[in-house]
Amino acid sequence: MKKSLLFILFPTLVFSAELTIENAIKLGLKENLSIKAKEHQIKSTLWTFEAAKSDNFPSIVADYTYTKMDEKKQLSLNTLGGTMKVTQVEETYNTLNLGIQYNFYTGGLVTALVDIAKKNVEKSQHDHTELSNEIRYQIQNAYINILELYAIRQLYEKEIESLRAHQKDVELLHHQGLAAKIDILHTSVKVKEVEKKIFEINNNIKIAKLNLRMLLGQEPDDNFDVLEIDRDFLNTQIDETKIIEQAYSNRAILKSLKADLENLKKTLEIEKSAYMPKAFIYGGYNYTDSNEAISPKGGFLLQAGLKFKLDWDKPSNLLKGKKEEIYAFENKLKEVKYRIKIAVQKSIEDFYTAIKTYDLANQQLKEADEYFRVMNLKYKNGLASNTDLLDAEAMLTAARISTKKAYYDIARAFYKIEFESASEVK
């Protein structure tokens, strides 16, 4: 309990000791910077949705203008006493309008915009799920890379230990006149070759750890170790039909594209609204002092209005264009489904291929081990050269490395199946 609480409160502390793949995934899905950015995008679409809903409510209207004309406008009236001029508009005047307007009919425009904004929230959530699935796989892959490098380094360290012991034997034989100087040099070169490989692997391990830290949303650092994955990959049974069905139902990218398609269909309603009249009511207070003779200068009013505007065949053409866009998107969605099915099938085939490769690598390892055993006996009995023994040692190490790589390729292929199907394979 204390360990779990410590992990939640101070997740970076796990890197000072050992990290499991489960904890890595848990931390990554919580702290990965791309996922956090996507979470803010979800909040953005939520606010956009709230903004769209506000169009269902009345709007407060307020405007003020100050006008200065070149001169006052007057009306000349002929009377019995002569011509009389009456001011109609003052040279300078103020106008103020305060009111509330409610668009009670928009031809379906507001409803469509609200529905689109709501669907965008769902789409952003599906995008978040798809990204999380992708980040999970990247973390698993990065974790496996470190384990694989650990295993290869350990094999090279085992080889160099054997080579150094052999080097001492060769030097002793040389002092006794039983081995040539060239055998010492050859063995020394082999030792340095392996030392170089270990140096390169250590650098690769450091980079792999930094990459994993980045995926976990942490400051780059290599001060941690990873534990072996506690999972039986070799005896996993794959139900291809079930996994493909799960991919169709679980992959968030399909749900996201379906949301896009629904929004495209909603845009048809927006285009259709161009054929419909718009109706509103307005109530408020208007004030103007454009004519000093008029009193009162302000008053309350209530208006009802109807507006209709048709831009020739523009709405019709836009509507046809949207329909074609929908047809194109439906084909795109179908293609993505096909691609997902192929990706799932390929990941399954890659998994079976990796298992077969692992079996072959184990057979090769047995043969290489036997070859080294025989060559070592021959060397001790003077029937094989130092070069023959060193080549046998290198062949054995290569076979061991090949076996390790084949095993971790199985793990990669297994997690790729889970990624492509967005489901847990048990």
Side-chain angles (χ1 to χ4, degrees):
M1 180 65 184
K2 290 182 178 179
K3 185 177 179 181
S4 300
L5 183 61
L6 188 65
F7 174 77
I8 294 172
L9 296 177
F10 306 100
T12 56
L13 291 182
V14 298
F15 294 101
S16 62
E18 296 172 327
L19 181 67
T20 65
I21 193 168
E22 292 81 11
N23 284 343
I25 292 171
K26 180 180 178 182
L27 181 60
L29 294 181
K30 180 182 178 183
E31 299 294 335
N32 180 269
L33 298 179
S34 295
I35 291 178
K36 283 188 172 184
K38 188 64 70 175
E39 289 169 354
H40 286 291
Q41 290 179 11
I42 293 175
K43 292 178 181 178
S44 175
T45 58
L46 284 169
W47 285 116
T48 302
F49 174 49
E50 293 298 323
K53 289 194 295 183
S54 66
D55 288 334
N56 285 314
F57 299 96
S59 302
I60 297 175
V61 179
D63 64 79
Y64 165 81
T65 58
Y66 169 80
T67 305
K68 180 175 177 58
M69 305 182 69
D70 55 345
E71 60 182 14
K72 66 173 61 177
K73 305 302 177 182
Q74 295 179 320
L75 177 64
S76 297
L77 299 176
N78 293 322
T79 64
L80 294 176
T83 301
M84 182 177 65
K85 291 186 177 182
V86 179
T87 299
Q88 285 191 311
V89 180
E90 300 291 342
E91 182 179 350
T92 61
Y93 62 91
N94 301 281
T95 302
L96 174 67
N97 293 315
L98 295 173
I100 296 177
Q101 179 173 317
Y102 177 56
N103 300 316
F104 64 88
Y105 183 73
T106 60
L109 175 62
V110 172
T111 301
L113 291 174
V114 171
D115 289 343
I116 288 174
K118 182 179 180 181
K119 191 60 64 176
N120 280 336
V121 174
E122 294 180 20
K123 172 183 166 53
S124 64
Q125 291 169 339
H126 294 320
D127 291 341
H128 178 274
T129 302
E130 181 68 18
L131 177 62
S132 297
N133 186 40
E134 182 179 343
I135 295 298
R136 178 193 297 271
Y137 175 66
Q138 291 179 9
I139 291 171
Q140 290 165 336
N141 215 24
Y143 193 96
I144 290 172
N145 287 343
I146 297 174
L147 287 176
E148 184 180 67
L149 289 169
Y150 275 179
I152 294 173
R153 181 177 64 182
Q154 186 177 18
L155 292 174
Y156 278 131
E157 287 173 345
K158 183 176 182 179
E159 181 184 12
I160 204 169
E161 183 180 349
S162 175
L163 285 172
R164 284 170 176 164
H166 176 68
Q167 187 177 26
K168 290 180 180 179
D169 292 340
V170 172
E171 289 174 353
L172 181 61
L173 291 172
H174 175 68
H175 291 316
Q176 296 173 352
L178 300 175
K181 179 69 174 180
I182 193 171
D183 289 342
I184 297 176
L185 295 174
H186 191 187
T187 306
S188 178
V189 168
K190 283 290 185 180
V191 169
K192 287 180 172 55
E193 284 181 357
V194 178
E195 286 177 343
K196 179 183 175 183
K197 290 177 181 178
I198 292 174
F199 178 76
E200 291 174 349
I201 288 175
N202 284 332
N203 285 338
N204 291 336
I205 288 174
K206 182 175 182 178
I207 298 302
K209 286 184 175 182
L210 296 179
N211 181 55
L212 179 59
R213 286 272 298 192
M214 180 192 70
L215 288 170
L216 303 185
Q218 306 296 308
E219 190 72 23
D221 185 11
D222 64 334
N223 186 31
F224 67 97
D225 285 318
V226 295
L227 295 177
E228 190 61 62
I229 301 172
D230 184 18
R231 193 158 194 173
D232 185 6
F233 298 108
L234 299 174
N235 297 310
T236 301
Q237 299 298 320
I238 304 296
D239 187 338
E240 182 175 339
T241 302
K242 182 180 179 182
I243 288 176
I244 291 174
E245 290 175 355
Q246 289 175 332
Y248 283 154
S249 61
N250 294 346
R251 278 299 292 270
I253 187 173
L254 290 177
K255 297 175 183 178
S256 177
L257 290 173
K258 287 176 182 177
D260 283 335
L261 180 59
E262 290 182 36
N263 273 352
L264 270 177
K265 292 178 178 179
K266 279 293 177 182
T267 60
L268 294 178
E269 297 180 17
I270 294 177
E271 302 303 336
K272 289 177 182 178
S273 70
Y275 288 104
M276 308 300 293
K278 310 298 186 292
F280 69 92
I281 56 174
Y282 173 84
Y285 176 83
N286 286 1
Y287 170 89
T288 179
D289 58 2
S290 61
N291 192 324
E292 291 292 341
I294 295 177
S295 182
K297 293 180 173 54
F300 292 95
L301 60 90
L302 179 65
Q303 292 178 334
L306 187 67
K307 182 180 179 181
F308 179 75
K309 179 185 178 184
L310 182 61
D311 295 324
W312 197 239
D313 62 347
K314 179 180 178 180
S316 174
N317 290 332
L318 289 174
L319 196 59
K320 292 176 182 177
K322 286 296 180 183
K323 287 182 179 179
E324 294 299 326
E325 192 175 346
I326 289 171
Y327 297 148
F329 201 89
E330 286 174 339
N331 287 326
K332 177 184 177 181
L333 179 58
K334 187 179 294 185
E335 182 183 18
V336 172
K337 285 184 178 180
Y338 291 158
R339 288 183 181 277
I340 287 176
K341 182 177 181 180
I342 292 172
V344 171
Q345 289 175 327
K346 183 181 183 303
S347 65
I348 293 173
E349 290 301 320
D350 289 345
F351 178 73
Y352 288 136
T353 300
I355 289 179
K356 183 63 177 177
T357 302
Y358 178 72
D359 291 339
L360 292 173
N362 271 309
Q363 294 174 21
Q364 183 185 27
L365 176 59
K366 290 179 181 178
E367 293 171 355
D369 188 54
E370 178 63 16
Y371 180 77
F372 175 75
R373 186 188 70 80
V374 171
M375 196 58 62
N376 191 33
L377 288 175
K378 283 187 173 184
Y379 175 77
K380 289 179 179 179
N381 290 282
L383 299 175
S385 67
N386 185 65
T387 300
D388 294 333
L389 181 62
L390 293 178
D391 289 345
E393 177 88 27
M395 183 185 298
L396 178 59
T397 300
R400 287 169 174 168
I401 291 173
S402 179
T403 303
K404 285 295 182 180
K405 286 185 174 181
Y407 173 77
Y408 287 115
D409 282 343
I410 294 174
R412 290 189 183 93
F414 176 85
Y415 287 129
K416 188 66 179 294
I417 294 173
E418 291 192 331
F419 164 68
E420 295 293 355
S421 63
S423 58
E424 184 177 356
V425 179
K426 297 182 179 180

